[in-house]
């Protein structure tokens, strides 16, 4: 028994939340986003994320990014399992309530990891095939000697909702008792530093959208939107900058701890700000926005204005400065966390945002044949962002997902869910000389069919070498 005091509980909570935080931003989002039609590799990209960007036959089972994401999620799951196991052993009546909250947080975090793993390493969930389709190994108990086996996709999703139900019951009980953790209201609040009841509902909305239970997906998303917590969409450029550059708005359902001293993680491959005395500040990106994503927005759209500036700094590629290129600055860096004089991509981690709930609700309502209600929800988001309102058709909602969640690591799960594949990613006119174009079919002309095997990542080769009974996903070598 390792939990003998409130201090022990707090240390376990810190570990659980630190593990959860470590699975967002950086490679966890960038690996997904550079697969999409939204970004072009510059000629200076040095083959960073090259295999997932090209998505050709050279995406192998030992790709450093896809294997690292698998390994990091399972390392975190080990921590969650251990926290759950230890919390269940607490019998001291004074410690039981705190241990239960720890367990609720660990259930939430474990569900989050399994949802992310299932989306990345499994085929899209289809109710007709989920009971037979292989997914990822379900590991629910810490055992360093165990040899995991792959679970059925249905079993993985069943475990996700079991964990979320447990988390919701525990956190709701604590919230009703007035418990606060790190000054956060466990019922829910903008910028909560820990999982809350609203966070559980948000993750349930994702879950139900995945499994085609559209009424439940809409209900949970709308519950969060209408929550008393006060989540509010940004409606001006200043509010957008406050939310996305300073991480201080009211859109985040969770905003995890960060500090300048500790350092923070961000998505740095799009900016890479440097400076010299002679040239001032300039961008040195590995990837820049494609024409596809720039053209997706109306000129009045706040997201285009604040996330894709054309005149912030020049772009330096291959030793030359270029002007007039739209850059992606959604993750440029929070100045309150900045270590030096240049923006360095550091941000508070915000894994769940209220805007996604509008998208989930709209999509679920549309899929459920409620076009008028879908339009109403979608228009609320569009009006806030100063975008031209559209109908609530699935096509319009899909375009809004692209515009709102660019950079957030969601694109490929959306593409798989809709079964639509990926179009070409031509370069911005001003950037045509600084992006990779040879061979064109790997870069600006790369397309991907809806049934491409590369939309499902390979099981890491080292896992199969250790446990040969594991099956490799279709299209990849077994080892």
């Amino acid at each position: 028994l390792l939990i003998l005091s409130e201090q022990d509980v707090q240390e376990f909570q810190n570990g659980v939340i630190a593990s959860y935080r470590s699975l967002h931003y950086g490679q966890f989002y960038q690996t997904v986003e550079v697969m999409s039609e939204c970004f072009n590799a510059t000629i200076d990209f040095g083959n960073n994320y090259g295999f997932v960007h090209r998505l050709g036959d050279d995406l192998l089972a030992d790709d450093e990014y896809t294997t690292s994401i698998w390994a990091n999620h399972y390392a975190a799951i080990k921590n969650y399992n251990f926290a759950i196991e230890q919390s269940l052993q607490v019998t001291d009546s004074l410690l039981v309530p705190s241990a239960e909250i720890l367990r609720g947080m660990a259930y939430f975090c474990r569900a989050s990891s399994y949802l992310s793993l299932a989306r990345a390493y499994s085929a899209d969930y289809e109710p007709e095939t989920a009971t037979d389709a292989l997914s990822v190994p379900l590991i629910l108990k810490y055992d360093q000697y165990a040899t995991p086996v792959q679970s059925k996709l249905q079993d993985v999703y069943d475990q996700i909702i079991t964990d979320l139900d447990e988390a919701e019951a525990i956190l709701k009980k604590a919230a009703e008792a007035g418990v606060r953790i790190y000054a956060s209201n466990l019922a829910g609040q903008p910028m909560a530093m820990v999982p809350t009841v609203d966070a559980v509902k948000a993750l349930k909305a994702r879950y139900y959208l995945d499994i085609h239970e559209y009424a439940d997906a809409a209900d949970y998303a709308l519950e969060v939107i209408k929550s008393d917590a006060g989540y509010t969409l940004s409606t001006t450029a200043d509010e957008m900058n406050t939310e996305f550059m300073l991480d201080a708005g009211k859109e985040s359902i969770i905003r995890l701890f960060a500090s300048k001293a500790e350092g923070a993680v961000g998505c740095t491959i799009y900016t890479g700000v440097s400076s010299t005395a002679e040239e001032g500040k300039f961008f040195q990106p590995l990837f820049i926005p494609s024409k596809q994503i720039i053209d997706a927005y109306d000129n009045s759209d706040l997201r285009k204005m604040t996330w894709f500036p054309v005149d912030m700094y020049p772009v330096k590629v291959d030793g030359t400065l270029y002007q007039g290129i739209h850059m992606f600055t959604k993750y440029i860096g929070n100045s309150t966390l900045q270590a030096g004089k240049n923006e360095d991509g550091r941000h508070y981690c915000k894994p769940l945002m209220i805007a996604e709930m509008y998208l989930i609700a709209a999509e679920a309502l549309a899929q459920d044949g409620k076009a008028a209600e879908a339009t109403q929800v979608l228009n609320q988001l569009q009006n806030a962002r100063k975008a031209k309102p559209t109908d609530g058709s699935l096509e319009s909602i899909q375009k809004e997902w692209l515009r709102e969640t660019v950079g957030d690591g969601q694109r490929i799960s959306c593409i798989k869910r809709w079964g639509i594949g990926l179009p070409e990613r031509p370069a911005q006119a001003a950037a045509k000389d600084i992006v990779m174009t040879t061979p064109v079919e790997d870069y600006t002309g790369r397309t991907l069919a809806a049934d491409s095997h590369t939309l499902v990542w390979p099981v890491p080769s080292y896992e199969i070498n250790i446990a040969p009974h594991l099956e490799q996903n279709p299209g990849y070598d077994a080892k």
Side-chain angles (χ1 to χ4, degrees), residues 59-102:
L59 178 59
L60 304 177
D62 59 356
D63 175 74
E64 64 177 301
Y65 300 106
T66 60
T67 58
S68 177
I69 290 172
W70 172 292
N72 279 278
H73 273 290
Y74 276 108
I77 288 169
K78 175 200 69 177
N79 295 337
Y80 306 148
N81 289 341
F82 192 57
I84 291 167
E85 177 186 323
Q86 289 297 312
S87 70
L88 286 167
Q89 295 181 29
V90 174
T91 57
D92 185 334
S93 60
L94 296 177
L95 290 179
V96 166
S98 297
E100 285 183 347
I101 294 171
L102 165 64

Side-chain angles (χ1 to χ4, degrees), residues 3 51 313 392 415 446:
I3 298 178
F51 301 117
Y313 307 130
I415 290 297
R446 203 274 336 262

Side-chain angles (χ1 to χ4, degrees), residues 273-314:
V273 179
S274 298
S275 62
T276 66
E278 297 79 15
E279 298 166 314
K281 288 187 177 183
F282 50 84
F283 293 112
Q284 286 190 300
L286 303 183
F287 291 84
I288 61 175
S290 69
K291 186 176 185 295
Q292 287 276 21
I293 186 63
I294 299 301
D295 290 352
Y297 298 92
D298 303 318
N299 287 332
S300 62
D301 197 310
L302 293 173
R303 295 165 296 195
K304 183 174 185 178
M305 294 167 57
T306 58
W307 296 347
F308 297 94
V310 73
D311 55 1
M312 188 173 186
Y313 307 130

